[in-house]
Amino acid sequence: MPDEELHGVVPASSDDAPVVPNGTRPSTHLDRTVSGSGMSKREKWYTVGLLTLTAAMLYADQNLLAPNLSQAAEEFGFSEREKDVKLGGWLQLAFFVVGSPASLVIGWLADKPIPRTRLFFLTVLIGEGPCLATYWVKTYWQLFAVRAMTGVAVGGCLPLLFSLCGDLFPPEERAYVASFLTIATGAGIALGQIMAGTVGPTYGWRLPFLLAAAPAICLAGILYATVKEPRRGSQEEAVRARSEELRRSERGGHRRAAATYGSVGARRGGAGG
């Protein structure tokens, strides 16, 4: 990917170039312009909406087991102490031990020239696939493994959420946009516990994991399929200033080229007369 595109500088529309007397358009080395993030206002808020809903569903699975802890402990034949240690302690530890490094690695990848919408979808798929598989676990250690892997989605999504939103909105609007994402995390945890407490006693402690994971994967897939990658750094002041400088230089080049073509055409017309 060219450096200009990575930093928000993209090929100019052919409509920007003036038509010279012979009907052609002059080509210049700096035939570039900038269009911010490359998205309309509606597209930006559509993206924020999808990211917010996906984040809510990702965080919904954090405490899904808590309302039905006794039911799961009884199925695995745990004593009260084993229930507290193995279900209440070890599972959360595994979630954190995997999720924290995942956050660091995915945050590092988010700064590389990799489409972040694709990376977000893969992160959700890697983490929420095991969450979905929780519905079919038969042993405690299977549950331990899938809960540990679920940490990839929850830990890895945050760097991508803020990276994407940072390239959609200028600095003065980012705090407001970030508030949607932070509200989504808390609302998601609450939604998950309400869902588990409502569904679990009737249909079993496994079903809430299925109900949380499937929408998260679908929403991430919709985002990957329908949202275009915002241009990196396009909302940063230095990049915008540089882009404006390139635009002015480009326009000056077009004018000089048009003047040159015009004078050459006039001389040829005079010589022909």
Side-chain angles (χ1 to χ4, degrees), residues 28 45 62 64 77-78 91 93 116-117 125 130 158 190 204 243 265:
T28 65
W45 285 105
Q62 276 202 291
L64 282 179
F78 289 163
L91 291 186
L93 178 63
R116 288 162 293 177
T117 52
L125 192 62
L158 282 176
S243 299

Side-chain angles (χ1 to χ4, degrees), residues 31-116:
D31 192 18
R32 307 267 177 183
T33 189
V34 70
S35 58
S37 64
M39 293 185 181
S40 67
K41 186 175 181 179
R42 180 179 296 179
E43 288 174 322
K44 289 180 181 181
W45 285 105
Y46 169 76
T47 303
V48 171
L50 276 178
L51 291 173
T52 300
L53 288 173
T54 309
M57 296 313 300
L58 289 175
Y59 276 80
D61 72 18
Q62 276 202 291
N63 289 323
L64 282 179
L65 196 58
N68 302 297
L69 210 60
S70 296
Q71 186 186 147
E74 183 179 350
E75 181 176 323
F76 292 127
F78 289 163
S79 65
E80 283 296 313
R81 176 170 174 75
E82 285 177 318
K83 178 184 77 172
D84 292 339
V85 172
K86 291 185 176 182
L87 295 179
W90 288 5
L91 291 186
Q92 292 302 317
L93 178 63
F95 192 90
F96 173 79
V97 166
V98 174
S100 296
S103 185
L104 292 172
V105 171
I106 294 169
W108 177 75
L109 289 173
D111 289 330
K112 303 301 177 185
I114 301 170
R116 288 162 293 177

Side-chain angles (χ1 to χ4, degrees), residues 181-207:
L181 304 178
T182 52
I183 289 171
T185 59
I189 293 172
L191 173 66
Q193 290 194 299
I194 292 170
M195 179 175 62
T198 303
V199 174
T202 304
Y203 298 100
W205 62 269
R206 290 177 172 82
L207 185 59

Side-chain angles (χ1 to χ4, degrees), residues 2-273:
D3 290 342
E4 294 89 350
E5 184 176 342
L6 281 175
H7 293 87
V9 183
V10 296
S13 167
S14 59
D15 294 336
D16 294 338
V19 178
V20 294
N22 65 357
T24 64
R25 299 180 188 275
S27 62
T28 65
H29 179 66
L30 293 175
D31 192 18
R32 307 267 177 183
T33 189
V34 70
S35 58
S37 64
M39 293 185 181
S40 67
K41 186 175 181 179
R42 180 179 296 179
E43 288 174 322
K44 289 180 181 181
W45 285 105
Y46 169 76
T47 303
V48 171
L50 276 178
L51 291 173
T52 300
L53 288 173
T54 309
M57 296 313 300
L58 289 175
Y59 276 80
D61 72 18
Q62 276 202 291
N63 289 323
L64 282 179
L65 196 58
N68 302 297
L69 210 60
S70 296
Q71 186 186 147
E74 183 179 350
E75 181 176 323
F76 292 127
F78 289 163
S79 65
E80 283 296 313
R81 176 170 174 75
E82 285 177 318
K83 178 184 77 172
D84 292 339
V85 172
K86 291 185 176 182
L87 295 179
W90 288 5
L91 291 186
Q92 292 302 317
L93 178 63
F95 192 90
F96 173 79
V97 166
V98 174
S100 296
S103 185
L104 292 172
V105 171
I106 294 169
W108 177 75
L109 289 173
D111 289 330
K112 303 301 177 185
I114 301 170
R116 288 162 293 177
T117 52
R118 182 193 302 166
L119 186 58
F120 184 77
F121 174 66
L122 292 175
T123 299
V124 172
L125 192 62
I126 291 169
E128 291 303 291
C131 182
L132 195 73
T134 304
Y135 185 76
W136 292 277
V137 298
K138 299 298 183 184
T139 68
Y140 169 74
W141 291 110
Q142 288 175 348
L143 176 63
F144 183 90
V146 295
R147 291 307 293 156
M149 287 301 297
T150 302
V152 172
V154 176
C157 77
L158 282 176
L160 291 167
L161 290 173
F162 289 105
S163 176
L164 286 165
C165 288
D167 283 338
L168 289 174
F169 296 90
E172 61 270 18
E173 296 180 27
R174 287 177 192 162
Y176 176 65
V177 174
S179 66
F180 286 89
L181 304 178
T182 52
I183 289 171
T185 59
I189 293 172
L191 173 66
Q193 290 194 299
I194 292 170
M195 179 175 62
T198 303
V199 174
T202 304
Y203 298 100
W205 62 269
R206 290 177 172 82
L207 185 59
F209 291 94
L210 189 67
L211 296 178
I217 294 172
C218 290
L219 287 166
I222 292 170
L223 182 123
Y224 176 52
T226 62
V227 172
K228 56 186 175 184
E229 177 77 7
R231 297 188 182 99
R232 293 177 183 269
S234 60
Q235 301 297 324
E236 301 304 323
E237 191 60 37
V239 175
R240 291 163 74 177
R242 175 59 178 161
S243 299
E244 183 60 31
E245 181 183 331
L246 287 172
R247 188 185 300 132
R248 287 196 299 268
S249 175
E250 169 195 310
R251 287 172 180 169
H254 286 324
R255 292 192 192 99
R256 288 192 297 273
T260 301
Y261 274 89
S263 62
V264 169
R267 287 198 298 271
R268 287 177 178 173

